Amino acid sequence: MSRFFKGGSNDSDAESVDSSEGNRIVASKTKAEESSSAEEESSEEESSSSSASESSESESESESESESSENKDSKVPAKKPSVSKKPVSSSSEESESESESDSDSETSDESGSEESESDSEDDSENSESVSGSENESESDNQSESEGESEGDLESETSEAAGPDSFLKKPEEAKPAASRFLRGESSEESSDEEEGRRVVKSAKDRRLDEFFACIDNMKDAMSGNKWMVVSNEFDHLNKVAQKSSEAGRRPPAYIEFLSNLDQRVESSDKAFIKSLDAANGRALNALKQRVRKISRQFTSEIERFRNDPEAFMKPAAEVADVPKAAAKAGQDEVIVGGVATRGIVAPTTDEPKTEEISPSDIFKHLRAIFEARGKKSTDRAEQIRFLEKLSSIAVTDYQRLRVKVALLAARFDINTGSGQYMPIEQWNGALKELHNILDILDANRKIVIVEQVEDEFEDEDEAVAASGNNNGVVQVQGSVVSFLERLDDEFTRSLQMIDPHAPEYIERLKDETALYTLLVRSQAYLERIGLVESTSRLIMRRLERVYYKPEQVIRANEEAALRSLSPEFDLVVTPRASTDTPDKLINALCVYLYNHGISLLRTRAMLCHIYHEALQNRFYKSRDMLLMSHLQDSIHAADIATQILHNRTMVQIGLCAFRNGMIQEAQYALQDISTTGRIKELLGQGIQAARFGQFNPDQERLDKQLVLPFHMHINLELLECVYLTCSMFMEIPVMAAASSTASDARKRVISRPFRRMLEYTDRQLFIGPPENTREFIMQASKALAEGEWRKGEELIHAIKIWNLMPDTEKIKSILSDKIREEGLRTYLLSYAAFYDSVSLDSLAETFDLSLERVTVVVSRLLSKREIHAALDQVHRAVIFERVEINKLENMAISLSEKTSQLHEANEKLYEQKTQHTNPQDNRRREKTGSVKRRNDRSDNRGRQDMN
């Protein structure tokens, strides 16, 4: 029989498989020396078996079908004969039995062919209706069951089969029939059909799970097991969402939700008290969740309650969305404001049949809020959809809700701190904030507040709930938070744009529009009475004007008020009382002093001091700084406030320099200029990371603290002022150090200046000065040698003075200071060579008035810097010969060493106590806070005067 014959029976296949198994067993047990004889006998039996099979085929055709049925019914296994280890020759009885089995298999195949064909057709239909994964599992189960049946047949037929089957040719061995073809009786096939596994689609399984969940909830509600109901309700919502078609929940879900809503709403306090504590809490929580979810399906629940029969009718089948071949990175679309991955919407330009109605706005807003923050959300599509909703909204409440969501979506488009918000989106957010303020000004029954008890999805409910708030409808949001984010994004854009490019100037022009928005928002916050939010907004407004000159402040204020209505006015800064920049900044700072938190008061004080110093009011700014005691607690403030403090101190130093107070300027700039980290302390750059200490996160945070370029203080001007002040103070001290009459020979005022001067002295060749440092160093050497005219020319040749206002006034102040310090240096250097000097000759030599020369000489005499006497009658200075002996020199050396030891002890005490005692006069850390200088020299001078 051919192995590909479709009608082959399973019995014959089992016999052939069992015979092959028997052959393998016999072959393993047969000895090596008997293998040759077995091959000879097998060749002889092949011819006999072939002739026997031909005769058995002719006999089987003449036999009736009763024999085949008898063979099928008689399946009682016989006893297993013993297998001999030697090969056995084939007998005539065995050939006859084989022929009979062949004939039986043919008849059974013919009788079962029709059944196998019908069964195979059924199987093919079932296989087409089932998914690929279910087909695999079913085929595996069928293969296992068939393997078991085949194993049974092998065990039954293995008794009849002997080692003779091993001697057959492999072509004559009956192969196993296909597992999809049945040769069994009708009783066995019916048994298999009854035990066949029922395969369901994923949709049917979800529906079964859905209805099982509803049944569980009904049973739990009948037993008042509300904890079970609460848990099952969460599971039901997840299953219903998966079972939804075209975004619509199953009708049975709406029906059960409506009934559950009525059930939980009907439960009163008495019923809740009758329950135990756990179920009572579960019922209250379930009631809130049911209310929240019922709002999402208000229209569906109403349609169900109006006509349940029509609602429960099955809807038309929704056509599946064709899945096009998506490109890489384009497999996300927004459907109703919600991002969907893996489905690409059809690209047709046909208009949508279903338009969004104003009543559906809140439903779409909810979907957008749920999709917010997810990676698969297309934020640009959300913005476009919200702009469409804004055009659809008809009431002020709807417009306000959409505008607030649109603002949040615009800010969400920039997720990383390494880039700034796109300028078009920033302008869009600015416009949306103006629109929000227009709505709030037009309809004063609506306000935006940060905390709302319950945000209603229906405007009627919100109006009904406004009775508790004096008829004012509340919308959740924060105007001041939106303004702060808008201000931060504007600052970040200025930080990242190249300051030398034209784009920086174009971007800086938007500051006027931002300032106008701040003024409008201040009026709204003053009207609704939010003091804390008003303080935050006034701080932002103050930070936009405190560092600018009066002309720029006045221009910004006029532009902001010009864009508003003439009737517009503010409570904190009314137009009448804030017509000048000084009055405006004073009003803003006073409000923050009275209503702001500690941080805002500190920053307001620093901004106020900065503005006073910028206007050349040194004494007022100095007194405000000392009275505020900020230097005692500034080390505990945040880094941005420390940067503002450092900027204020630098501005005070520059103010003192512009007023000709050299010593005060040098003291104010000393601690900033000697750190070597001027850029970092002033927020104008970051310090370069050392090798092996690069931290990208820290560098990113440091870059965020860098101020925009237009707020920077010129570092070259700062260095020039500091070195010039140090020159005026150090050159006379160095001249006094060479005199034996001085007791302050080794006192150092500015170490950086000393190092630069020593470096210049070590140079073999000194060419013409090229930068600011070289100009000042050569002027210092000329001044020390008494050539004050040359020093004056070198100082005036510095071009950086042109950046300061009133350049000619500053140069004249520097000229007078150079003459005075030249006179001091001359007297300290050459006092030992004179017995007396005429005041008139000194005035003529240094081009000073007689009164000014008298003042300088008197100051030297009062501080005991020179040992001389002033003869006012003869207008002369009479010097005294004073020689310091060895004991006096040792006493002076001891006093200097004691002073150094005292300074070292003070520094050690600082490190131990960490500035816990603010009354101590000690140095500060180098973390942005400014150190106070110890004026021991002034104290020593006062003691000498006494």
Side-chain angles (χ1 to χ4, degrees):
M1 296 288 292
S2 175
R3 60 190 301 180
F4 299 102
F5 179 65
K6 292 184 178 180
S9 64
N10 291 338
D11 293 339
S12 60
D13 295 338
E15 291 177 2
S16 62
V17 171
D18 191 72
S19 63
S20 62
E21 292 290 333
N23 293 337
R24 285 195 296 270
I25 295 171
V26 173
S28 63
K29 295 181 179 180
T30 304
K31 295 181 179 179
E33 63 269 9
E34 297 176 350
S35 59
S36 59
S37 59
E39 292 177 357
E40 295 175 357
E41 292 177 357
S42 62
S43 60
E44 294 175 359
E45 287 182 4
E46 285 177 2
S47 58
S48 60
S49 60
S50 59
S51 59
S53 61
E54 292 176 358
S55 61
S56 62
E57 287 177 1
S58 60
E59 291 175 359
S60 62
E61 292 177 356
S62 61
E63 289 177 356
S64 63
E65 294 181 356
S66 61
E67 293 178 359
S68 62
S69 62
E70 290 177 358
N71 291 331
K72 290 179 182 179
D73 293 334
S74 59
K75 291 184 178 180
V76 180
K79 292 183 179 180
K80 185 175 181 180
S82 61
V83 181
S84 61
K85 296 182 180 179
K86 297 181 180 181
V88 184
S89 61
S90 61
S91 61
S92 60
E93 295 177 356
E94 291 175 351
S95 62
E96 290 177 359
S97 63
E98 290 177 357
S99 62
E100 288 176 0
S101 64
D102 294 337
S103 61
D104 293 340
S105 63
E106 289 178 359
T107 54
S108 62
D109 292 341
E110 291 174 358
S111 61
S113 61
E114 296 178 357
E115 295 178 1
S116 64
E117 292 176 357
S118 62
D119 292 339
S120 63
E121 293 177 357
D122 296 337
D123 293 337
S124 62
E125 293 176 358
N126 293 332
S127 62
E128 292 176 356
S129 63
V130 182
S131 63
S133 62
E134 295 171 351
N135 287 334
E136 292 178 0
S137 61
E138 185 180 4
S139 62
D140 294 340
N141 295 332
Q142 290 178 0
S143 63
E144 291 177 0
S145 60
E146 289 174 3
E148 293 177 358
S149 61
E150 289 175 4
D152 296 337
L153 292 175
E154 288 175 5
S155 62
E156 293 175 1
T157 56
S158 62
E159 297 178 358
D164 296 337
S165 60
F166 176 74
L167 302 177
K168 294 181 180 180
K169 289 184 178 181
E171 290 83 0
E172 295 180 358
K174 298 296 187 292
S178 176
R179 61 182 177 180
F180 299 105
L181 304 178
R182 294 189 182 89
E184 293 86 359
S185 62
S186 60
E187 294 179 358
E188 291 180 354
S189 62
S190 61
D191 292 341
E192 287 186 0
E193 290 176 357
E194 290 176 359
R196 182 178 299 169
R197 176 185 173 188
V198 179
V199 180
K200 294 183 179 180
S201 63
K203 178 180 178 181
D204 294 338
R205 289 199 303 272
R206 283 195 296 267
L207 289 177
D208 292 344
E209 186 180 3
F210 172 76
F211 288 111
C213 190
I214 292 178
D215 295 339
N216 294 336
M217 292 183 66
K218 290 180 179 178
D219 296 340
M221 283 190 292
S222 61
N224 287 331
K225 299 178 181 179
W226 295 103
M227 294 181 65
V228 179
V229 175
S230 179
N231 296 331
E232 290 291 335
F233 184 66
D234 296 337
H235 182 57
L236 178 65
N237 291 325
K238 295 179 182 179
V239 177
Q241 186 176 3
K242 294 179 181 179
S243 303
S244 59
E245 296 180 358
R248 300 177 181 177
R249 298 292 190 273
Y253 175 77
I254 303 299
E255 178 188 8
F256 181 76
L257 185 62
S258 175
N259 298 333
L260 182 61
D261 187 17
Q262 295 176 355
R263 175 68 182 275
V264 297
E265 292 296 338
S266 62
S267 59
D268 53 359
K269 294 183 179 179
F271 176 74
I272 296 176
K273 289 182 179 180
S274 63
L275 302 173
D276 56 349
N279 285 320
R281 289 193 298 268
L283 179 58
N284 287 327
L286 179 65
K287 186 183 296 185
Q288 298 297 329
R289 289 203 300 272
V290 170
R291 286 178 183 175
K292 183 177 180 181
I293 295 177
S294 298
R295 292 175 191 155
Q296 304 178 14
F297 306 100
T298 305
S299 58
E300 289 85 349
I301 292 175
E302 290 179 357
R303 287 194 290 111
F304 168 74
R305 292 176 179 176
N306 294 333
D307 192 359
E309 296 181 358
F311 184 81
M312 295 302 293
K313 288 182 179 179
E317 294 294 334
V318 181
D320 295 334
V321 179
K323 185 172 182 180
K327 297 180 180 179
Q330 298 180 356
D331 59 344
E332 299 171 1
V333 296
I334 298 296
V335 179
V338 180
T340 304
R341 183 183 290 274
I343 299 177
V344 177
T347 58
T348 57
D349 297 334
E350 298 179 0
K352 295 182 178 180
T353 57
E354 183 181 358
E355 296 294 336
I356 301 174
S357 61
S359 59
D360 297 334
I361 288 178
F362 300 114
K363 184 189 300 183
H364 292 289
L365 285 178
R366 189 185 313 108
I368 290 174
F369 283 136
E370 291 176 357
R372 185 182 180 187
K374 297 181 179 179
K375 290 184 178 180
S376 57
T377 303
D378 189 350
R379 296 178 177 85
E381 180 64 27
Q382 275 191 346
I383 292 174
R384 288 192 292 269
F385 187 75
L386 286 170
E387 290 175 349
K388 182 179 179 181
L389 290 180
S390 179
S391 61
I392 295 173
V394 293
T395 63
D396 291 340
Y397 182 77
Q398 291 177 350
R399 293 192 192 96
L400 208 56
R401 290 284 302 276
V402 174
K403 294 290 184 184
V404 171
L406 183 56
L407 266 177
R410 290 189 187 278
F411 288 132
D412 287 345
I413 202 168
N414 183 25
T415 56
S417 61
Q419 56 185 357
Y420 59 91
M421 185 178 179
I423 297 179
E424 59 274 7
Q425 295 295 336
W426 189 90
N427 291 327
L430 185 73
K431 182 179 178 182
E432 299 299 336
L433 273 172
H434 276 294
N435 294 336
I436 288 175
L437 293 176
D438 292 338
I439 296 173
L440 294 174
D441 292 339
N443 189 355
R444 302 205 169 188
K445 293 295 182 181
I446 303 178
V447 295
I448 296 179
V449 293
E450 294 184 5
Q451 296 180 355
V452 180
E453 295 180 359
D454 194 2
E455 194 170 13
F456 299 95
E457 302 296 339
D458 189 6
E459 186 174 359
D460 298 334
E461 296 179 2
V463 173
S466 64
N468 301 329
N469 301 318
N470 298 325
V472 177
V473 180
Q474 294 182 347
V475 177
Q476 188 172 10
S478 177
V479 175
V480 67
S481 296
F482 288 142
L483 284 169
E484 288 176 344
R485 179 65 186 276
L486 200 67
D487 190 16
D488 292 338
E489 292 294 340
F490 178 75
T491 304
R492 185 181 300 176
S493 64
L494 292 176
Q495 289 173 347
M496 296 185 177
I497 296 176
D498 184 11
H500 306 290
E503 290 81 5
Y504 189 87
I505 303 299
E506 294 296 328
R507 183 58 175 156
L508 197 58
K509 293 179 181 178
D510 296 332
E511 189 176 14
T512 304
L514 178 61
Y515 186 77
T516 304
L517 182 61
L518 290 173
V519 174
R520 285 198 64 189
S521 303
Q522 180 182 340
Y524 165 72
L525 295 176
E526 289 175 355
R527 177 169 61 84
I528 64 177
L530 296 179
V531 178
E532 182 180 357
S533 299
T534 306
S535 301
R536 291 163 56 188
L537 187 137
I538 287 178
M539 188 70 241
R540 293 283 178 166
R541 185 181 177 187
L542 179 61
E543 288 177 347
R544 286 290 161 197
V545 297
Y546 80 94
Y547 61 91
K548 296 179 180 177
E550 286 189 350
Q551 298 83 357
V552 180
I553 296 175
R554 188 179 290 107
N556 281 343
E557 194 71 17
E558 291 176 356
L561 296 177
R562 191 167 48 248
S563 62
L564 303 173
S565 60
E567 296 81 11
F568 178 83
D569 204 355
L570 298 171
V571 177
V572 179
T573 56
R575 293 188 179 185
S577 59
T578 58
D579 52 346
T580 61
D582 293 337
K583 294 180 179 179
L584 173 66
I585 292 178
N586 183 70
L588 295 175
C589 293
V590 168
Y591 182 85
L592 292 174
Y593 298 154
N594 297 328
H595 302 92
I597 61 176
S598 177
L599 177 61
L600 296 183
R601 289 197 301 269
T602 301
R603 294 185 65 86
M605 177 61 71
L606 291 173
C607 291
H608 200 176
I609 296 171
Y610 189 100
H611 177 73
E612 295 295 335
L614 193 64
Q615 304 305 320
N616 290 333
R617 291 188 279 267
F618 170 75
Y619 291 107
K620 184 177 181 180
S621 60
R622 184 198 62 182
D623 294 341
M624 290 176 65
L625 179 65
L626 296 177
M627 292 173 63
S628 63
H629 298 285
L630 291 176
Q631 61 272 23
D632 298 331
S633 59
I634 195 63
H635 64 276
D638 59 327
I639 299 178
T641 306
Q642 290 183 13
I643 289 174
L644 180 59
H645 180 269
N646 295 335
R647 286 167 52 83
T648 304
M649 291 300 301
V650 168
Q651 198 59 243
I652 290 175
L654 294 177
C655 175
F657 180 79
R658 289 193 295 267
N659 289 318
M661 291 176 279
I662 302 300
Q663 186 175 5
E664 290 80 358
Q666 202 275 342
Y667 287 165
L669 301 177
Q670 172 79 15
D671 301 315
I672 295 293
S673 301
T674 56
T675 57
R677 300 183 296 122
I678 302 178
K679 284 187 177 181
E680 186 178 0
L681 295 179
L682 296 180
Q684 300 179 188
I686 59 177
Q687 187 178 10
R690 296 181 179 178
F691 180 76
Q693 297 181 357
F694 178 75
N695 189 353
D697 296 335
Q698 185 65 33
E699 184 180 5
R700 177 175 53 83
L701 295 175
D702 293 341
K703 286 183 178 180
Q704 294 178 3
L705 296 172
V706 176
L707 298 174
F709 182 76
H710 69 282
M711 297 177 65
H712 288 187
I713 298 174
N714 194 314
L715 298 182
E716 186 178 359
L717 176 62
L718 176 61
E719 183 185 22
C720 180
V721 170
Y722 173 71
L723 292 178
T724 303
C725 295
S726 299
M727 177 189 70
F728 290 145
M729 297 180 68
E730 281 284 0
I731 296 301
V733 171
M734 294 172 63
S738 61
S739 176
T740 57
S742 176
D743 60 347
R745 293 181 301 173
K746 297 182 180 180
R747 186 164 60 93
V748 178
I749 297 175
S750 175
R751 295 188 183 278
F753 177 82
R754 288 284 185 99
R755 287 195 296 266
M756 292 181 189
L757 192 59
E758 291 173 359
Y759 176 78
T760 305
D761 292 337
R762 289 195 301 266
Q763 299 296 321
L764 298 177
F765 173 76
I766 299 177
E770 296 180 357
N771 52 33
T772 304
R773 290 184 180 182
E774 293 181 358
F775 274 105
I776 295 175
M777 292 301 107
Q778 293 191 17
S780 300
K781 293 186 67 176
L783 189 62
E785 294 173 358
E787 300 178 1
W788 63 270
R789 296 184 185 277
K790 181 180 179 181
E792 182 181 2
E793 293 176 357
L794 291 171
I795 293 296
H796 286 180
I798 299 175
K799 297 180 180 180
I800 199 67
W801 304 124
N802 297 326
L803 299 178
M804 301 184 72
D806 298 332
T807 306
E808 296 300 328
K809 178 183 177 182
I810 292 174
K811 287 184 177 180
S812 64
I813 292 174
L814 291 175
S815 298
D816 295 340
K817 199 67 179 176
I818 289 172
R819 294 188 182 100
E820 292 179 5
E821 297 303 326
L823 175 59
R824 287 183 60 200
T825 305
Y826 182 80
L827 291 176
L828 291 172
S829 300
Y830 302 107
F833 302 96
Y834 286 95
D835 291 331
S836 64
V837 178
S838 173
L839 295 179
D840 295 331
S841 63
L842 291 176
E844 183 180 358
T845 302
F846 291 96
D847 197 10
L848 290 172
S849 62
L850 183 62
E851 293 79 7
R852 195 62 190 168
V853 171
T854 305
V855 171
V856 172
V857 173
S858 300
R859 189 179 299 169
L860 289 172
L861 294 174
S862 64
K863 291 182 180 181
R864 298 289 181 90
E865 294 183 0
I866 59 174
H867 297 276
L870 180 61
D871 187 359
Q872 296 182 355
V873 177
H874 300 89
R875 295 180 182 179
V877 179
I878 302 172
F879 295 95
E880 299 177 0
R881 295 292 180 180
V882 178
E883 295 181 1
I884 301 176
N885 54 24
K886 187 176 181 180
L887 180 61
E888 291 177 348
N889 287 329
M890 293 175 64
I892 293 173
S893 177
L894 179 61
S895 65
E896 291 176 355
K897 291 181 179 179
T898 305
S899 173
Q900 294 176 2
L901 182 62
H902 180 64
E903 290 183 358
N905 288 336
E906 281 187 348
K907 292 181 181 180
L908 182 61
Y909 183 73
E910 284 182 12
Q911 297 176 0
K912 296 291 184 182
T913 58
Q914 295 182 356
H915 315 298
T916 55
N917 188 3
Q919 300 301 328
D920 291 341
N921 197 4
R922 64 178 83 109
R923 296 180 183 272
R924 300 296 182 190
E925 293 180 355
K926 295 181 180 180
T927 56
S929 60
V930 179
K931 303 168 289 184
R932 190 192 296 177
R933 182 175 177 79
N934 188 5
D935 299 330
R936 283 184 295 274
S937 60
D938 295 344
N939 295 334
R940 186 185 298 123
R942 296 190 187 98
Q943 292 175 2
D944 294 340
M945 291 176 63
N946 296 331

